[in-house]
Amino acid sequence: MSTTALSRAHAACYAPADWRPAVAAVPRSPFSARPLWSAEPTDPDPAMATLLTVLDSAGIRPGMRVLHVGCASGYATALICHRTGDADLVTATSADPAEAAAARWRLAQAGYPARVVIARPDQGHARCGPYDRIVCTDPIGPPPAAWREQLAPGGRVALPPRM
């Protein structure tokens, strides 16, 4: 087994049960040179642990339409694509055009060609809604009104805990 596969397998052990297949399947290398976990095999990276906590709290299931606000490198977006089972159901946003282009390229390289659009975090992306879930992995405060308007009935917003 390659070092990369071992790293993903190790990370999957610490992931919430619903997210273990995604963490084990989605390669980290197209998105970051940083390892999934710290040098100590028993210590999950705090950022990765927070990311997985937010994703798990979203309750994303196969077939759901998801908006990922603030996609950064695209890694979390790829995990969401894997979980939904269809990259066409996932829309990701970035306020930075260069970051959006890079995320779009990385997602395509990893086999998760989600839609990546340029939008401010408070705007969401109404054109592809309504969404079953809206996920933001960066702390931003209360959900903007635009997000609530873009949720499908029974939809849910998932944010990291406030510090």
Side-chain angles (χ1 to χ4, degrees):
M1 188 179 278
S2 72
T3 304
T4 301
L6 280 173
S7 177
R8 287 199 316 260
H10 172 76
C13 291
Y14 292 95
D18 286 345
W19 289 91
R20 287 180 187 150
V23 172
V26 174
R28 176 83 167 148
S29 57
F31 303 98
S32 175
R34 188 170 156 221
L36 287 169
W37 304 103
S38 68
E40 287 297 313
T42 58
D43 296 337
D45 176 332
M48 182 66 170
T50 300
L51 166 69
L52 291 171
T53 299
V54 172
L55 293 177
D56 194 46
S57 73
I60 297 168
R61 294 186 308 276
M64 286 186 161
R65 185 172 302 282
V66 179
L67 174 64
H68 179 209
V69 176
C71 67
S73 73
Y75 179 67
T77 306
L79 293 173
I80 293 167
C81 289
H82 190 277
R83 182 79 179 124
T84 65
D86 185 351
D88 288 338
L89 295 173
V90 180
T91 301
T93 69
S94 175
D96 179 346
E99 182 180 77
R104 194 177 298 114
W105 183 84
R106 288 182 192 113
L107 286 159
Q109 293 299 305
Y112 298 98
R115 181 181 305 100
V116 180
V117 299
I118 300 163
R120 291 190 335 246
D122 63 324
Q123 292 176 321
H125 187 71
R127 184 179 308 163
C128 296
Y131 302 100
D132 299 301
R133 300 293 186 263
I134 297 177
V135 177
C136 183
T137 52
D138 291 328
I140 65 157
W147 294 8
R148 289 188 292 275
E149 294 166 7
Q150 294 171 29
L151 278 174
R156 181 185 307 171
V157 173
L159 300 167
R162 291 190 201 189
M163 299 297 172

